Amino acid sequence: MTTTGGPDETLPVALRTEALEQLLTERGLIDPKVMNGIITDYETNVGPLNGAKVVAKAWTDPGYRQRLLDDGTAAIKELGFSGAQGEHIVVVENTATTHNVVVCTLCSCYPWPVLGLPPSWYKEPAYRSRIVKEPRTVLSEMGLDLADDVQITVRDSTSEVRWLVLPERPVGTEHLTEEELVPLVTRDAMVGVAKVVAP
């Protein structure tokens, strides 16, 4: 049986998305300026820069670091970051011997207030299934090789709990201020698929 009117699966996602946006705009259901504003907000204001500020503060303020590990949501809110998809954030710390990596095996649950919109690879079925079964291999394929004696824990984000990784502070950054540390922290390091590198 053949059906018509559904999405053409042979078209690339970008083209289908553009066509859907155009249709919704023509019908007056969305305003492109409003949509662009929301996207820009999540890419710049509500994005990885917020998470980087949280990490840099934790690296330079032991009291804040402990509060962050004890109650991530409350400590993150201290810096003014909260909102949708950030109602309950648990923070776990990477060290020289333990490494945490985050995935959402069901869809793409992600802490938007501190990481912005999830990257496309985070939503891919291959990442979502393989990182659970073979985390060391997947991390290596993404450019992160961990020693055999490093214990890897995969954290599964859900609609109830979203995870944020507090990356290990790189050696050689002890002299840097909180403000100088912020640009070093990447989204990938806060997901656990990369490490922060000293300048």
Side-chain angles (χ1 to χ4, degrees):
M1 177 176 168
T2 304
T3 59
T4 59
D8 183 350
E9 298 295 333
T10 62
L11 289 176
V13 173
L15 287 177
R16 284 188 278 157
T17 302
E18 186 178 335
L20 180 59
E21 181 182 358
Q22 183 177 357
L23 180 64
L24 293 172
T25 301
E26 288 172 0
R27 293 191 178 176
L29 298 173
I30 65 168
D31 180 344
K33 290 179 183 174
V34 172
M35 291 298 295
N36 289 339
I38 292 169
I39 291 169
T40 300
D41 193 37
Y42 272 95
E43 287 177 342
T44 57
N45 302 326
V46 186
L49 178 60
N50 294 352
K53 290 176 181 176
V54 169
V55 170
K57 181 157 186 69
W59 283 347
T60 57
D61 181 339
Y64 180 77
R65 176 186 159 277
Q66 192 57 57
R67 292 194 304 279
L68 184 66
L69 295 173
D70 290 343
D71 185 345
T73 309
I76 290 167
K77 197 169 187 175
E78 284 180 36
L79 299 187
F81 309 133
S82 63
Q85 313 302 318
E87 294 87 353
H88 188 70
I89 300 174
V90 176
V91 179
V92 288
E93 184 175 29
N94 282 351
T95 68
T97 58
T98 60
H99 187 87
N100 295 278
V101 61
V102 180
V103 65
C104 176
T105 56
L106 294 178
C107 53
S108 59
C109 295
Y110 196 74
W112 291 12
V114 286
L115 292 184
L117 300 174
S120 58
W121 57 261
Y122 185 83
K123 299 180 276 187
E124 290 293 327
Y127 174 78
R128 290 174 16 218
S129 62
R130 290 186 62 222
I131 195 71
V132 175
K133 296 176 187 172
E134 46 183 346
R136 196 173 302 275
T137 301
V138 173
L139 290 174
S140 180
E141 289 171 3
M142 296 181 83
L144 178 59
D145 292 308
L146 298 172
D148 292 339
D149 61 345
V150 173
Q151 178 183 345
I152 301 173
T153 302
V154 179
R155 306 288 181 169
D156 194 359
S157 275
T158 66
S159 58
E160 288 80 29
V161 177
R162 285 168 172 80
W163 297 88
L164 177 71
V165 173
L166 175 58
E168 186 179 4
R169 184 173 179 171
V171 175
T173 62
E174 297 77 16
H175 64 288
L176 298 179
T177 66
E178 183 178 328
E179 293 73 22
E180 291 170 326
L181 289 166
V182 169
L184 304 181
V185 184
T186 65
R187 174 203 62 206
D188 289 0
M190 293 181 282
V191 175
V193 296
K195 284 192 173 190
V196 177
V197 180

